[in-house]
Amino acid sequence: MNDTRRKIPSVSSLVLAAENKGLIDSYPRTVVTNAIRAVLVRARAAGGKEPEEGWLAAVESETATWRALSLKRVINATGVVLHTNLGRAPLADAAKDAVWKTLEYSTLEYNESSGTRGSRQKHVRAILKELTGAEDALVVNNAAAALLLTINTLAGGGETVISRGELVEIGGSFRLPDIIAKSDSHLVEVGTTNRTHLPDYENAVTASTKCLLKVHRSNFTIDGFVSEVSIEDLVRLGLRSDIAVVHDVGSGLLIDLAEFGLTGEPLVRNSVTAGATAIFSGDKLLGGPQAGIIVGSSEIIEQLSKNPLARVVRADKTAIAGLEATLAIFRDRDTALTEIPTLRMLTVDGATLKKRARRLSRRIPGSELIRGHSSVGGGAFPNARLETTLVSLATDSCEAVLEKLRSHSPPIIARCASDAVLLDVRTVTDQEFGIIADAFAG
Ligand SMILES: *Cc1c(COP(=O)(O)O)cnc(C)c1O
């Protein structure tokens, strides 16, 4: 054994030192010994060198790391409102409160007036009917699960017809053909990438056709020589041939945002009015928790509920609670635009953003204001370029500054231009300004 190796302390001597320091009282013994082993492994890899802060201090900070939870709250200064990697939609205060309350015992599946078993769907069914105009509704784990359940129930063992222009991939692992195959339905493609007409669907209908599926393209658009068949026309064909029509509208837009320059996303209500079964996410433009929502006729919703897969993909109590409270806010359009964080961030006016950016900039020495753009994210309004005012801090090592911001507690996520760190206040709350200022000062 060489000299440096001999300087590495033994596990038992460090356990003793940790005991004397009271570490074993504050943390479980196994956590402390695991931390000691990790420190020793690192020291051996570094040629046996003692950590700069000393052996015991290294063990102490390693122990704290072990105890820290992996899933952390972060500050999103990227300006991407529905940032998939950062958990999509932040919840409204009322929804957070509602989620918090269900962490005790709750009336999840209990009817308190009769003292008998109830349905978890009861908490969201009525409000979904009210907001979308549908006869009935069902909430599951996410929109991918909603589509799987719906296609399996309506078209399992039969054929599902879809336009070639709508065979999309959304996110890394959501690919339409794969979901349809896993739903035990045979995919029949009609039309072409850019143009699909009603006769394409009509000619594809056979005795085995069980579903006409329309999918919103969500994360991209195609322009130029294009045409697609409206949901109204598809429903008319479905009625003529006694085939179910399903519309995966994606982002779950409950109120029209055209007056804010945001167009191109289908409104849930329009698909319901047309007579389709509509599917959408809870945590995109709806601004609620992760959930998949299906609205349509009582007959179809009942069929879906009876499929054993409904149990496999059911929504958990925190999602039901957050969703009920979020949906309740939509009863009043103006309240929804101010209290649902995603809608507030998307529709805030330029003057307010500039004023807020100036306030943050004053707390970050050397920073200046520049014009820039935020994006919607989450595969909604893919072409929208929302004008914003950015707080910009010139630096020759942007990546190093981003890393320092990420290592702050809570981590702050920003972006880089060629020679500056950029912070977009659109996705930051006023309460978070102080934390950001501290991170730059520290
Ligand atoms: C986002 C999206 C999905 C998947 O939704 P999840 O809730 O993430 O499962 C499905 N279809 C469309 C059209 C979407 O935009």
Side-chain angles (χ1 to χ4, degrees), residues 88 141-145 147 168 170 174 176 215-219 248-251 279-284 290-292 378-379:
R88 283 199 189 151
N141 184 51
N142 60 12
L147 192 63
V168 298
I170 293 159
F174 181 93
L176 248 294
V215 178
H216 178 58
R217 274 186 285 267
S218 282
N219 48 8
D248 177 0
V249 294
S251 63
I279 289 174
F280 51 100
S281 289
D283 54 355
K284 293 184 181 172
Q290 180 189 307

